[in-house]
PDB file of all heavy atoms in Angstrom:
ATOM      1  N   THR A  15      24.605  -2.778  -1.817  1.00 93.00           N
ATOM      2  CA  THR A  15      23.829  -1.519  -1.982  1.00 93.00           C
ATOM      3  C   THR A  15      24.199  -0.748  -3.240  1.00 93.00           C
ATOM      4  O   THR A  15      23.599   0.283  -3.503  1.00 93.00           O
ATOM      5  CB  THR A  15      24.101  -0.607  -0.755  1.00 93.00           C
ATOM      6  OG1 THR A  15      25.479  -0.381  -0.629  1.00 93.00           O
ATOM      7  CG2 THR A  15      23.547  -1.227   0.527  1.00 93.00           C
ATOM      8  N   GLY A  16      25.136  -1.270  -4.042  1.00 91.00           N
ATOM      9  CA  GLY A  16      25.475  -0.542  -5.261  1.00 91.00           C
ATOM     10  C   GLY A  16      26.422  -1.343  -6.141  1.00 91.00           C
ATOM     11  O   GLY A  16      27.160  -2.197  -5.681  1.00 91.00           O
ATOM     12  N   LEU A  17      26.331  -1.010  -7.419  1.00 91.00           N
ATOM     13  CA  LEU A  17      27.274  -1.569  -8.414  1.00 91.00           C
ATOM     14  C   LEU A  17      28.006  -0.363  -9.044  1.00 91.00           C
ATOM     15  O   LEU A  17      27.461   0.332  -9.881  1.00 91.00           O
ATOM     16  CB  LEU A  17      26.507  -2.367  -9.469  1.00 91.00           C
ATOM     17  CG  LEU A  17      25.697  -3.568  -8.970  1.00 91.00           C
ATOM     18  CD1 LEU A  17      24.906  -4.186 -10.108  1.00 91.00           C
ATOM     19  CD2 LEU A  17      26.633  -4.594  -8.340  1.00 91.00           C
ATOM     20  N   GLY A  18      29.259  -0.160  -8.587  1.00 86.00           N
ATOM     21  CA  GLY A  18      30.004   0.969  -9.049  1.00 86.00           C
ATOM     22  C   GLY A  18      30.687   0.733 -10.358  1.00 86.00           C
ATOM     23  O   GLY A  18      30.541  -0.334 -10.980  1.00 86.00           O
ATOM     24  N   ASP A  19      31.459   1.688 -10.844  1.00 83.00           N
ATOM     25  CA  ASP A  19      32.215   1.560 -12.074  1.00 83.00           C
ATOM     26  C   ASP A  19      33.219   0.428 -12.034  1.00 83.00           C
ATOM     27  O   ASP A  19      33.510  -0.193 -13.027  1.00 83.00           O
ATOM     28  CB  ASP A  19      32.920   2.876 -12.416  1.00 83.00           C
ATOM     29  CG  ASP A  19      31.876   3.963 -12.706  1.00 83.00           C
ATOM     30  OD1 ASP A  19      30.739   3.650 -13.091  1.00 83.00           O
ATOM     31  OD2 ASP A  19      32.251   5.147 -12.534  1.00 83.00           O
ATOM     32  N   SER A  20      33.810   0.212 -10.851  1.00 85.00           N
ATOM     33  CA  SER A  20      34.865  -0.781 -10.757  1.00 85.00           C
ATOM     34  C   SER A  20      34.691  -1.692  -9.546  1.00 85.00           C
ATOM     35  O   SER A  20      35.595  -2.473  -9.240  1.00 85.00           O
ATOM     36  CB  SER A  20      36.210  -0.093 -10.643  1.00 85.00           C
ATOM     37  OG  SER A  20      36.267   0.779  -9.552  1.00 85.00           O
ATOM     38  N   ALA A  21      33.570  -1.628  -8.818  1.00 92.00           N
ATOM     39  CA  ALA A  21      33.433  -2.404  -7.607  1.00 92.00           C
ATOM     40  C   ALA A  21      31.971  -2.700  -7.303  1.00 92.00           C
ATOM     41  O   ALA A  21      31.082  -1.940  -7.646  1.00 92.00           O
ATOM     42  CB  ALA A  21      34.080  -1.656  -6.423  1.00 92.00           C
ATOM     43  N   VAL A  22      31.767  -3.847  -6.622  1.00 94.00           N
ATOM     44  CA  VAL A  22      30.482  -4.165  -5.998  1.00 94.00           C
ATOM     45  C   VAL A  22      30.512  -3.640  -4.582  1.00 94.00           C
ATOM     46  O   VAL A  22      31.450  -3.929  -3.822  1.00 94.00           O
ATOM     47  CB  VAL A  22      30.235  -5.678  -6.018  1.00 94.00           C
ATOM     48  CG1 VAL A  22      28.912  -6.012  -5.358  1.00 94.00           C
ATOM     49  CG2 VAL A  22      30.255  -6.220  -7.456  1.00 94.00           C
ATOM     50  N   VAL A  23      29.522  -2.879  -4.187  1.00 94.00           N
ATOM     51  CA  VAL A  23      29.535  -2.194  -2.889  1.00 94.00           C
ATOM     52  C   VAL A  23      28.663  -2.947  -1.897  1.00 94.00           C
ATOM     53  O   VAL A  23      27.477  -3.172  -2.111  1.00 94.00           O
ATOM     54  CB  VAL A  23      29.019  -0.728  -3.031  1.00 94.00           C
ATOM     55  CG1 VAL A  23      29.043  -0.059  -1.655  1.00 94.00           C
ATOM     56  CG2 VAL A  23      29.868   0.027  -4.028  1.00 94.00           C
ATOM     57  N   LEU A  24      29.312  -3.338  -0.783  1.00 95.00           N
ATOM     58  CA  LEU A  24      28.578  -3.951   0.350  1.00 95.00           C
ATOM     59  C   LEU A  24      28.598  -2.930   1.491  1.00 95.00           C
ATOM     60  O   LEU A  24      29.654  -2.425   1.866  1.00 95.00           O
ATOM     61  CB  LEU A  24      29.249  -5.253   0.787  1.00 95.00           C
ATOM     62  CG  LEU A  24      29.035  -6.502  -0.086  1.00 95.00           C
ATOM     63  CD1 LEU A  24      29.993  -6.479  -1.268  1.00 95.00           C
ATOM     64  CD2 LEU A  24      29.214  -7.774   0.730  1.00 95.00           C
ATOM     65  N   ASN A  25      27.424  -2.689   2.045  1.00 96.00           N
ATOM     66  CA  ASN A  25      27.331  -1.726   3.120  1.00 96.00           C
ATOM     67  C   ASN A  25      27.356  -2.453   4.484  1.00 96.00           C
ATOM     68  O   ASN A  25      26.365  -3.081   4.867  1.00 96.00           O
ATOM     69  CB  ASN A  25      26.011  -0.921   2.992  1.00 96.00           C
ATOM     70  CG  ASN A  25      25.879   0.158   4.050  1.00 96.00           C
ATOM     71  OD1 ASN A  25      24.985   0.106   4.884  1.00 96.00           O
ATOM     72  ND2 ASN A  25      26.758   1.134   4.048  1.00 96.00           N
ATOM     73  N   GLY A  26      28.505  -2.326   5.168  1.00 95.00           N
ATOM     74  CA  GLY A  26      28.605  -2.986   6.485  1.00 95.00           C
ATOM     75  C   GLY A  26      27.817  -2.215   7.510  1.00 95.00           C
ATOM     76  O   GLY A  26      28.019  -0.997   7.649  1.00 95.00           O
ATOM     77  N   ARG A  27      26.937  -2.890   8.238  1.00 95.00           N
ATOM     78  CA  ARG A  27      26.066  -2.224   9.204  1.00 95.00           C
ATOM     79  C   ARG A  27      26.155  -2.906  10.554  1.00 95.00           C
ATOM     80  O   ARG A  27      25.953  -4.121  10.651  1.00 95.00           O
ATOM     81  CB  ARG A  27      24.620  -2.229   8.702  1.00 95.00           C
ATOM     82  CG  ARG A  27      24.432  -1.557   7.354  1.00 95.00           C
ATOM     83  CD  ARG A  27      23.019  -1.741   6.836  1.00 95.00           C
ATOM     84  NE  ARG A  27      22.808  -1.070   5.547  1.00 95.00           N
ATOM     85  CZ  ARG A  27      21.682  -1.137   4.828  1.00 95.00           C
ATOM     86  NH1 ARG A  27      20.660  -1.814   5.318  1.00 95.00           N
ATOM     87  NH2 ARG A  27      21.605  -0.494   3.682  1.00 95.00           N
ATOM     88  N   VAL A  28      26.444  -2.104  11.599  1.00 96.00           N
ATOM     89  CA  VAL A  28      26.431  -2.633  12.959  1.00 96.00           C
ATOM     90  C   VAL A  28      25.669  -1.665  13.846  1.00 96.00           C
ATOM     91  O   VAL A  28      25.515  -0.486  13.520  1.00 96.00           O
ATOM     92  CB  VAL A  28      27.880  -2.819  13.512  1.00 96.00           C
ATOM     93  CG1 VAL A  28      28.636  -3.830  12.642  1.00 96.00           C
ATOM     94  CG2 VAL A  28      28.625  -1.503  13.524  1.00 96.00           C
ATOM     95  N   TRP A  29      25.200  -2.148  14.982  1.00 96.00           N
ATOM     96  CA  TRP A  29      24.450  -1.384  15.921  1.00 96.00           C
ATOM     97  C   TRP A  29      25.197  -1.290  17.258  1.00 96.00           C
ATOM     98  O   TRP A  29      25.798  -2.292  17.693  1.00 96.00           O
ATOM     99  CB  TRP A  29      23.052  -1.952  16.142  1.00 96.00           C
ATOM    100  CG  TRP A  29      22.175  -1.853  14.946  1.00 96.00           C
ATOM    101  CD1 TRP A  29      22.126  -2.729  13.897  1.00 96.00           C
ATOM    102  CD2 TRP A  29      21.223  -0.827  14.619  1.00 96.00           C
ATOM    103  NE1 TRP A  29      21.207  -2.294  12.942  1.00 96.00           N
ATOM    104  CE2 TRP A  29      20.643  -1.148  13.387  1.00 96.00           C
ATOM    105  CE3 TRP A  29      20.839   0.307  15.294  1.00 96.00           C
ATOM    106  CZ2 TRP A  29      19.673  -0.341  12.815  1.00 96.00           C
ATOM    107  CZ3 TRP A  29      19.841   1.110  14.703  1.00 96.00           C
ATOM    108  CH2 TRP A  29      19.262   0.770  13.472  1.00 96.00           C
ATOM    109  N   ILE A  30      25.128  -0.145  17.875  1.00 94.00           N
ATOM    110  CA  ILE A  30      25.789   0.087  19.179  1.00 94.00           C
ATOM    111  C   ILE A  30      24.832   0.769  20.115  1.00 94.00           C
ATOM    112  O   ILE A  30      23.816   1.327  19.711  1.00 94.00           O
ATOM    113  CB  ILE A  30      27.085   0.904  19.016  1.00 94.00           C
ATOM    114  CG1 ILE A  30      26.737   2.309  18.498  1.00 94.00           C
ATOM    115  CG2 ILE A  30      28.089   0.226  18.112  1.00 94.00           C
ATOM    116  CD1 ILE A  30      27.917   3.266  18.520  1.00 94.00           C
ATOM    117  N   ASP A  31      25.198   0.748  21.427  1.00 93.00           N
ATOM    118  CA  ASP A  31      24.521   1.563  22.420  1.00 93.00           C
ATOM    119  C   ASP A  31      25.356   2.826  22.566  1.00 93.00           C
ATOM    120  O   ASP A  31      26.442   2.809  23.109  1.00 93.00           O
ATOM    121  CB  ASP A  31      24.451   0.813  23.728  1.00 93.00           C
ATOM    122  CG  ASP A  31      23.766   1.626  24.825  1.00 93.00           C
ATOM    123  OD1 ASP A  31      23.422   2.794  24.593  1.00 93.00           O
ATOM    124  OD2 ASP A  31      23.597   1.091  25.940  1.00 93.00           O
ATOM    125  N   PRO A  32      24.831   4.006  22.066  1.00 89.00           N
ATOM    126  CA  PRO A  32      25.658   5.214  22.062  1.00 89.00           C
ATOM    127  C   PRO A  32      26.039   5.719  23.465  1.00 89.00           C
ATOM    128  O   PRO A  32      26.993   6.454  23.631  1.00 89.00           O
ATOM    129  CB  PRO A  32      24.798   6.242  21.337  1.00 89.00           C
ATOM    130  CG  PRO A  32      23.402   5.742  21.475  1.00 89.00           C
ATOM    131  CD  PRO A  32      23.498   4.224  21.513  1.00 89.00           C
ATOM    132  N   ALA A  33      25.280   5.271  24.484  1.00 85.00           N
ATOM    133  CA  ALA A  33      25.601   5.691  25.829  1.00 85.00           C
ATOM    134  C   ALA A  33      26.805   4.939  26.368  1.00 85.00           C
ATOM    135  O   ALA A  33      27.459   5.383  27.323  1.00 85.00           O
ATOM    136  CB  ALA A  33      24.415   5.446  26.748  1.00 85.00           C
ATOM    137  N   GLU A  34      27.124   3.793  25.757  1.00 88.00           N
ATOM    138  CA  GLU A  34      28.234   2.945  26.256  1.00 88.00           C
ATOM    139  C   GLU A  34      29.422   2.911  25.287  1.00 88.00           C
ATOM    140  O   GLU A  34      30.562   2.740  25.709  1.00 88.00           O
ATOM    141  CB  GLU A  34      27.740   1.526  26.460  1.00 88.00           C
ATOM    142  CG  GLU A  34      26.590   1.387  27.421  1.00 88.00           C
ATOM    143  CD  GLU A  34      27.006   1.711  28.864  1.00 88.00           C
ATOM    144  OE1 GLU A  34      28.212   1.596  29.150  1.00 88.00           O
ATOM    145  OE2 GLU A  34      26.130   2.067  29.683  1.00 88.00           O
ATOM    146  N   THR A  35      29.159   3.066  23.999  1.00 88.00           N
ATOM    147  CA  THR A  35      30.218   2.875  22.952  1.00 88.00           C
ATOM    148  C   THR A  35      30.233   4.027  21.977  1.00 88.00           C
ATOM    149  O   THR A  35      29.173   4.536  21.559  1.00 88.00           O
ATOM    150  CB  THR A  35      29.941   1.564  22.192  1.00 88.00           C
ATOM    151  OG1 THR A  35      29.759   0.500  23.124  1.00 88.00           O
ATOM    152  CG2 THR A  35      31.108   1.226  21.265  1.00 88.00           C
ATOM    153  N   GLY A  36      31.452   4.477  21.629  1.00 86.00           N
ATOM    154  CA  GLY A  36      31.606   5.547  20.648  1.00 86.00           C
ATOM    155  C   GLY A  36      31.535   5.013  19.202  1.00 86.00           C
ATOM    156  O   GLY A  36      32.108   3.997  18.881  1.00 86.00           O
ATOM    157  N   ALA A  37      30.760   5.745  18.381  1.00 88.00           N
ATOM    158  CA  ALA A  37      30.581   5.321  16.984  1.00 88.00           C
ATOM    159  C   ALA A  37      31.885   5.389  16.197  1.00 88.00           C
ATOM    160  O   ALA A  37      32.166   4.506  15.345  1.00 88.00           O
ATOM    161  CB  ALA A  37      29.519   6.146  16.343  1.00 88.00           C
ATOM    162  N   GLY A  38      32.680   6.421  16.443  1.00 89.00           N
ATOM    163  CA  GLY A  38      33.937   6.572  15.676  1.00 89.00           C
ATOM    164  C   GLY A  38      34.894   5.446  15.874  1.00 89.00           C
ATOM    165  O   GLY A  38      35.485   4.925  14.922  1.00 89.00           O
TER     166      GLY A  38
END
C-alpha cells in the first residue's frame, strides 16, 4: 500500500466477528 522513505509498506488485513472476538 505504500513506498516509504526507507521501507516497502504491506498492509496486513484480517476479518473478525466483532460479537465473538475483540479487535485489539
Side-chain angles (χ1 to χ4, degrees):
T15 56
L17 300 175
D19 294 335
S20 58
V22 179
V23 180
L24 285 81
N25 183 244
R27 302 174 179 177
V28 299
W29 293 84
I30 63 171
D31 180 355
E34 302 291 337
T35 308

